[in-house]
Amino acid sequence: MVSRVSKKTISYISQSVATKIDDQLFSQFGFKVEQLMELAGLAAAQAVAAHYPKGNVAVLCGPGNNGGDGFVCARHLQQFGFSTHVVYPKTSRNKLMECLVEQCQKLDIPVTNNLPDLKNFTLIVDALFGFSFKPPVREPFDAIIGSILQSGLPVFSIDIPSGWDVKDGPPADGVCIRPDAVISLTLPKECMRDWNGTHFVGGRFVPASLARDFQLSLPSYPSFDQIVQLAD
Amino acid sequence: MVSRVSKKTISYISQSVATKIDDQLFSQFGFKVEQLMELAGLAAAQAVAAHYPKGNVAVLCGPGNNGGDGFVCARHLQQFGFSTHVVYPKTSRNKLMECLVEQCQKLDIPVTNNLPDLKNFTLIVDALFGFSFKPPVREPFDAIIGSILQSGLPVFSIDIPSGWDVKDGPPADGVCIRPDAVISLTLPKECMRDWNGTHFVGGRFVPASLARDFQLSLPSYPSFDQIVQLAD
């Protein structure tokens, strides 16, 4: 069971604030990307496991930190009894990303550049682009998102539905993900304000002093939970 | 609520097997210490929050990886609304340990070499020594454990109660922790077989193939939980 929190009690943040929070976590508070990515990916996997039955999940990972969250999510989903397949269209030379790829491969999670045949899958996890993305979606991601839309499979997005503008949401033209459910990390971004799908929040690692400095209203997590679900 | 699992359904492992599992996780499966320590420390904090009311917790951290789990546990306990104070008697020059100290300090968690006055504390978390420890307890840890015993405060041990022999348990002479509750990481070690206190297991990151190779019976974690409690 995931606890519910009213969306009226939390902040919605801009791209600029989201970037500053990340910068502060790594510079001011001395966190390592590996640590917070592990917690973010775990929260995403917990939200998936809370909302969907076990099945075959294609996890789409972009080359940046949003993709890294996706790799971690795939690993935890495997622990939870899901069967996962990572789709990683654009390989990053970032050392951490190389490690995350290796971990999945050694856990017998397939990592492919191209989309597999989606007819055997039950769910897509979208970890292509995070809050740093600026539309439009470029090659090869446009074709991939097109195929996802055509498949009719439910899509769970990590942080930002890929292709959305972080402030304005789905672009007027060009492809973008139409998610069934989303987990916002730290806090929802502005584009999520009027979105009414199933919406989780995770990322229970923001220091209280940082929340005060940025005047953030974080969700009230009960007990030792790592995720909450937003309600009206 | 933490799910219960019969202790008859899981393996108890030796120091040698515990060492080999760790070695394989880092070499064969490409995990980073930062990743698994974050999950271990989170599981420990969740077990504390499941079993004790919020209060003032002194977290005793040794210079090795068990101490690292303690630092991470202290951070998460702060997120859960506990007030934490880390006692770190012997400073390690390991870069990861230096980072973990810095993170706590920047989160305004005091980190001191000496024990504070324990009269304002409600709980001790013992992360001094893990499964690599060989008795007896040496300076300055003997005096610290002596003060803990004298305080009468409940002690929650991470992985191994400090001072215990990993196979034979509490030594015939010499000080050692007498825990109120324990979280075993990955699986309980042999010394825990006949122990009847409150006993959690965490560390939901052991790959199924590794469990098969070592013929390990891991606990059956429900849903997306990171901890279980052992029952008869």
Side-chain angles (χ1 to χ4, degrees):
Chain A
M1 271 299 290
V2 178
S3 186
R4 284 171 189 254
V5 161
S6 166
K7 60 172 72 170
K8 295 178 189 121
T9 64
I10 61 162
S11 311
Y12 286 70
I13 59 175
S14 66
Q15 186 176 53
S16 142
V17 168
T19 305
K20 284 180 190 158
I21 292 171
D22 260 17
D23 288 350
Q24 291 258 318
L25 288 170
F26 299 124
S27 62
Q28 193 63 29
F29 292 93
F31 282 109
K32 297 279 169 197
V33 179
E34 285 86 341
Q35 297 177 307
L36 302 192
M37 192 175 273
E38 196 64 33
L39 298 174
L42 174 63
Q46 291 191 326
V48 169
H51 191 55
Y52 300 98
K54 284 177 196 168
N56 295 331
V57 183
V59 183
L60 312 183
C61 295
N65 280 352
N66 195 247
D69 297 340
F71 276 100
V72 176
C73 175
R75 260 205 276 118
H76 287 287
L77 283 177
Q78 189 193 49
Q79 278 287 348
F80 300 163
F82 287 75
S83 173
T84 53
H85 179 128
V86 171
V87 184
Y88 185 45
K90 199 172 167 184
T91 303
S92 163
R93 294 216 178 133
N94 176 297
K95 284 279 169 213
L96 172 55
M97 289 300 284
E98 287 179 357
C99 277
L100 295 169
V101 173
E102 185 197 357
Q103 288 159 23
C104 281
Q105 288 172 331
K106 292 197 166 165
L107 289 167
D108 299 324
I109 298 172
V111 179
T112 59
N113 294 123
N114 298 314
L115 268 186
D117 184 347
L118 290 174
K119 75 171 188 296
N120 295 320
F121 287 83
T122 57
L123 178 69
I124 307 291
V125 170
D126 157 35
L128 288 177
F129 309 123
F131 62 75
S132 310
F133 176 81
K134 290 269 186 210
V137 175
R138 291 171 188 81
E139 284 190 283
F141 300 103
D142 52 354
I144 289 169
I145 291 178
S147 299
I148 297 298
L149 295 173
Q150 274 198 327
S151 76
L153 288 169
V155 180
F156 174 93
S157 288
I158 298 182
D159 207 31
I160 296 271
S162 294
W164 286 31
D165 180 90
V166 65
K167 181 163 180 285
D168 299 323
D173 47 41
V175 293
C176 69
I177 289 289
R178 304 281 173 175
D180 171 57
V182 169
I183 185 167
S184 293
L185 295 172
T186 302
L187 282 167
K189 313 306 169 294
E190 288 170 334
C191 59
M192 303 304 293
R193 206 182 282 274
D194 297 320
W195 190 71
N196 284 315
T198 303
H199 194 165
F200 298 91
V201 182
R204 191 177 182 177
F205 47 63
V206 179
S209 63
L210 192 154
R212 275 196 301 276
D213 288 352
F214 284 96
Q215 299 185 292
L216 306 176
S217 295
L218 295 171
S220 170
Y221 292 89
S223 184
F224 53 78
D225 289 7
Q226 296 294 296
I227 55 172
V228 292
Q229 186 174 341
L230 293 186
D232 285 337
Chain B
M1 271 302 289
V2 178
S3 186
R4 284 171 191 256
V5 161
S6 167
K7 60 171 73 170
K8 295 179 189 119
T9 64
I10 62 162
S11 311
Y12 287 70
I13 59 176
S14 66
Q15 188 177 52
S16 142
V17 168
T19 304
K20 284 179 191 158
I21 293 170
D22 261 18
D23 288 350
Q24 291 259 317
L25 288 169
F26 299 125
S27 62
Q28 193 62 27
F29 292 92
F31 282 110
K32 298 279 170 199
V33 180
E34 286 85 340
Q35 296 176 309
L36 302 192
M37 192 176 273
E38 196 65 33
L39 299 175
L42 173 64
Q46 290 190 327
V48 169
H51 191 55
Y52 301 98
K54 285 177 196 168
N56 294 331
V57 183
V59 183
L60 313 184
C61 295
N65 280 353
N66 196 248
D69 297 341
F71 276 100
V72 175
C73 175
R75 259 204 277 117
H76 286 287
L77 283 176
Q78 188 193 51
Q79 279 287 346
F80 300 163
F82 287 75
S83 173
T84 53
H85 179 128
V86 171
V87 185
Y88 185 46
K90 198 172 168 185
T91 304
S92 162
R93 295 218 176 129
N94 176 298
K95 283 281 170 212
L96 172 55
M97 289 300 283
E98 288 179 357
C99 277
L100 294 169
V101 173
E102 185 197 357
Q103 287 159 23
C104 281
Q105 288 172 332
K106 292 197 166 163
L107 289 167
D108 299 324
I109 297 172
V111 180
T112 60
N113 294 123
N114 297 314
L115 267 187
D117 184 349
L118 291 175
K119 74 173 190 296
N120 296 321
F121 287 83
T122 57
L123 178 69
I124 307 291
V125 169
D126 157 35
L128 288 177
F129 309 123
F131 62 74
S132 311
F133 175 80
K134 289 267 185 211
V137 175
R138 292 172 186 80
E139 283 189 284
F141 299 103
D142 52 353
I144 289 168
I145 291 177
S147 299
I148 298 298
L149 295 174
Q150 274 198 328
S151 76
L153 288 169
V155 180
F156 174 93
S157 288
I158 298 182
D159 206 31
I160 296 271
S162 295
W164 287 29
D165 180 90
V166 66
K167 181 163 181 283
D168 300 323
D173 48 42
V175 293
C176 70
I177 289 290
R178 304 281 172 175
D180 172 57
V182 169
I183 184 167
S184 293
L185 296 171
T186 301
L187 282 167
K189 313 306 168 292
E190 287 171 336
C191 59
M192 303 304 293
R193 206 182 283 272
D194 297 320
W195 189 70
N196 284 315
T198 303
H199 194 165
F200 298 90
V201 182
R204 192 177 182 178
F205 46 63
V206 179
S209 63
L210 192 155
R212 274 196 302 275
D213 288 351
F214 284 96
Q215 299 185 292
L216 306 176
S217 295
L218 296 170
S220 169
Y221 292 89
S223 184
F224 53 78
D225 290 6
Q226 296 294 296
I227 54 172
V228 291
Q229 187 174 340
L230 293 187
D232 286 337

